[in-house]
Amino acid sequence: MRSGENLWVIAKQRGISIDEIKKLNPGVNYRDLKVGQKIRVK
């Protein structure tokens, strides 16, 4: 994660849905994402 990014921005940039990101990252608290935190994307 970079400063200013959120799931909507990441999903739009990668051409996937927020639900797909959530399925790839079970157990991640999306309301408390940190700068530098890594998440999986397609």
Side-chain angles (χ1 to χ4, degrees):
M1 297 286 307
R2 290 184 236 151
S3 181
E5 282 187 328
N6 59 40
L7 287 186
W8 186 85
V9 170
I10 294 167
K12 186 173 178 180
Q13 289 174 341
R14 306 291 194 290
I16 62 175
S17 72
I18 292 172
D19 287 335
E20 287 179 280
I21 294 174
K22 287 181 177 182
K23 286 178 187 174
L24 290 169
N25 297 278
V28 173
N29 181 353
Y30 296 101
R31 296 185 187 272
D32 191 29
L33 293 173
K34 307 278 190 236
V35 172
Q37 183 175 352
K38 294 184 187 247
I39 59 171
R40 291 184 176 137
V41 293
K42 216 174 201 181

